[in-house]
């Protein structure tokens, strides 16, 4: 049996050389982050910021360590105009005079980090756009719509380390092979079933939800005897990477809607490095990604840390939830 590496797969699918190189740099950063995550308590990096390790040294939070790794590895890419990280307020410009064709990478270095203390899956999410023209090094220059993404993906640090990528030709999954250090192709065509009987939402926010979300979840919980006429299962990982990975594997729907607790900020999840990349992956796998009232990737960004309402997964189910919003 032959094995396909990430590089071989990208080359075989005619990925532009510069993009291939950038994706390889991102994969390297993710392997290094995986290594740090894997060391867990031994590295003294669990828990809140500025904890002490066994030697009594002050440790940085793993979110920050992951961000530094990403900056060091991906920041060295010669075609990179800027990095936009969840952990850094300002845009990290890597070029004085960004040109047409240069890349901007938006990323969440460690997603689901509240799960670290309990040893559950976390991940790294990334979104890539290419500048259409030379731009000034101002924050407004990286407020680029999700429809402009040329690639997106995530690494998942679970029982195994996985890398899931789209370059706009479907969604492919790789698994880290510890012996060789390579990501090897394991899921050549990830696709989301159109229908589902499984939802993911933080139900502790029930009292904060808008009426359409409340009605939708109530109807799911009524099961076979309710409006939906079928029984639903529920999952919530509190790690978007893990929830989306499950949906890309077996279908389902994920909701982190705008509610009265987060409405002031427009929602909880971030548009540029959570909702857009996951939206592109889900659409590329045959699913849908909506705010409840429109396509996520059509949202015109007004800031690079902007938040948004997120409903994504199996296509028919997302359409059904959109109907609840119009009723
Ligand atoms: P992050 O760890 O990058 O801040 O993101 C956490 C996000 C997302 O991964 C997850 O779906 C959601 O926050 C969990 O929120 P709750 O704690 O409200 O469940
Ligand atoms: Mn996150
Ligand atoms: Mn994060």
């Amino acid at each position: 049996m032959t094995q396909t590496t990430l590089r071989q797969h990208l080359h075989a699918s005619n990925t532009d050389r510069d993009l291939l190189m950038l994706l390889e740099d991102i994969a390297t950063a993710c392997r290094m982050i995986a290594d740090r995550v894997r060391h867990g308590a031994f590295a003294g990096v669990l828990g809140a910021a500025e904890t002490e390790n066994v030697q009594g040294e002050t440790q940085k939070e793993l979110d920050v360590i992951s961000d530094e790794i990403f900056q060091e590895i991906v920041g060295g890419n010669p075609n990179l105009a800027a990095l936009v990280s969840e952990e850094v307020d300002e845009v990290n410009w890597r070029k004085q005079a960004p040109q047409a064709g240069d890349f901007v990478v938006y990323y969440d270095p460690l997603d689901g980090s509240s799960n670290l203390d309990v040893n559950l899956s976390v991940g790294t999410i990334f979104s890539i756009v290419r500048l259409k023209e030379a731009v000034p090094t101002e924050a407004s220059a990286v407020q680029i719509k999700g429809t402009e993404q040329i690639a997106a993906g995530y690494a998942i640090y679970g029982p195994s380390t996985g890398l899931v990528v789209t370059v706009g030709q479907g969604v492919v999954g790789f698994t880290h092979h510890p012996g060789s250090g390579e990501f090897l192709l394991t899921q050549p065509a990830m696709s989301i079933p159109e229908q589902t009987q499984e939802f993911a939402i933080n139900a502790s926010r029930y009292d904060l939800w808008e009426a359409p979300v409340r009605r939708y979840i109530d109807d799911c919980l009524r099961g076979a005897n309710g409006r939906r006429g079928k029984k639903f299962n529920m999952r919530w990982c509190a790690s978007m990477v893990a929830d989306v990975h499950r949906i890309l594997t077996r279908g389902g729907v994920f909701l982190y809607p705008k509610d009265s607790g987060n409405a002031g900020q427009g929602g909880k999840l971030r548009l540029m490095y959570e909702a857009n990349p996951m939206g592109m992956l889900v659409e590329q796998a045959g699913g849908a990604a909506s705010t409840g009232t429109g396509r996520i990737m059509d949202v015109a960004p007004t800031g690079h840390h902007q938040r948004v309402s997120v409903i994504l997964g199996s296509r028919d189910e997302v359409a059904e939830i959109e109907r609840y919003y119009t009723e």
Side-chain angles (χ1 to χ4, degrees):
M1 197 179 93
T2 56
Q3 299 275 12
T4 306
T5 65
L6 173 67
R7 183 185 312 114
Q8 288 167 349
H9 173 80
L10 292 172
H11 179 75
S13 51
N14 290 318
T15 307
D16 164 274
R17 282 192 79 84
D18 291 343
L19 179 58
L20 185 153
M21 226 176 100
L22 177 61
L23 287 166
E24 284 211 309
D25 287 345
I26 291 172
T28 300
C30 291
R31 280 195 298 264
M32 293 176 72
I33 296 169
D35 181 58
R36 296 305 294 263
V37 168
R38 204 82 49 236
H39 280 78
F42 294 120
V45 289
L46 300 185
E50 307 287 295
T51 51
E52 284 191 355
N53 69 6
V54 284
Q55 285 88 31
E57 297 162 330
T58 301
Q59 293 288 304
K60 288 178 201 160
E61 231 176 330
L62 205 46
D63 295 284
V64 176
I65 294 172
S66 303
D67 183 61
E68 287 173 0
I69 292 172
F70 203 97
Q71 280 187 44
E72 281 163 21
I73 301 295
V74 183
N77 184 284
N79 301 304
L80 189 71
L83 289 173
V84 176
S85 168
E86 183 195 26
E87 296 299 325
V88 184
D89 287 345
E90 305 295 320
V91 178
N92 179 356
W93 291 102
R94 311 300 295 193
K95 287 200 176 180
Q96 302 282 331
Q99 296 301 310
D102 286 345
F103 297 112
V104 177
V105 178
Y106 309 88
Y107 66 105
D108 178 350
L110 206 53
D111 174 67
S113 48
S114 69
N115 276 328
L116 286 167
D117 285 343
V118 286
N119 203 11
L120 293 176
S121 294
V122 293
T124 299
I125 311 173
F126 61 91
S127 157
I128 304 173
V129 300
R130 242 184 157 136
L131 293 175
K132 288 221 165 84
E133 55 194 11
V135 296
T137 53
E138 289 163 11
S140 59
V142 299
Q143 290 168 15
I144 300 171
K145 252 193 194 178
T147 47
E148 300 294 321
Q149 293 173 103
I150 57 165
Y154 61 81
I156 180 165
Y157 315 121
S160 63
T161 295
L163 183 73
V164 173
V165 181
T166 180
V167 292
Q169 306 170 30
V171 179
V172 284
F174 301 82
T175 303
H176 181 244
H177 178 252
S180 64
E182 295 282 350
F183 278 110
L184 299 177
L185 184 64
T186 43
Q187 293 110 304
M190 297 180 89
S191 101
I192 302 177
E194 283 166 27
Q195 286 160 19
T196 186
Q197 294 179 224
E198 190 165 79
F199 66 85
I201 192 166
N202 181 347
S204 71
R205 304 184 70 84
Y206 185 92
D207 58 326
L208 305 171
W209 292 339
E210 292 176 335
V213 177
R214 222 183 276 188
R215 277 189 288 113
Y216 168 70
I217 297 296
D218 284 346
D219 285 339
C220 289
L221 294 176
R222 281 191 190 102
N225 302 321
R227 162 174 162 170
R228 304 304 311 284
K230 56 184 183 179
K231 182 153 178 58
F232 278 77
N233 187 26
M234 194 205 78
R235 286 288 183 273
W236 183 250
C237 297
S239 168
M240 191 189 200
V241 163
D243 279 314
V244 169
H245 195 67
R246 183 188 61 255
I247 289 170
L248 283 168
T249 306
R250 69 174 191 214
V253 72
F254 168 97
L255 302 92
Y256 213 122
K258 177 158 67 76
D259 61 34
S260 64
N262 59 37
Q265 303 171 304
K268 157 132 188 186
L269 298 178
R270 315 293 186 131
L271 177 62
M272 310 305 276
Y273 39 81
E274 290 178 321
N276 274 339
M278 292 312 202
M280 182 177 182
L281 286 163
V282 164
E283 285 194 12
Q284 284 288 323
S290 170
T291 62
T293 55
R295 187 183 178 207
I296 284 173
M297 288 202 286
D298 280 333
V299 173
T302 54
H304 55 276
H305 293 300
Q306 178 174 345
R307 297 173 194 258
V308 71
S309 187
V310 176
I311 296 164
L312 56 76
S314 293
R315 197 167 62 196
D316 290 357
E317 199 62 23
V318 173
E320 181 72 25
I321 299 169
E322 284 178 327
R323 274 194 286 281
Y324 278 79
Y325 272 90
T326 57
E327 277 164 10

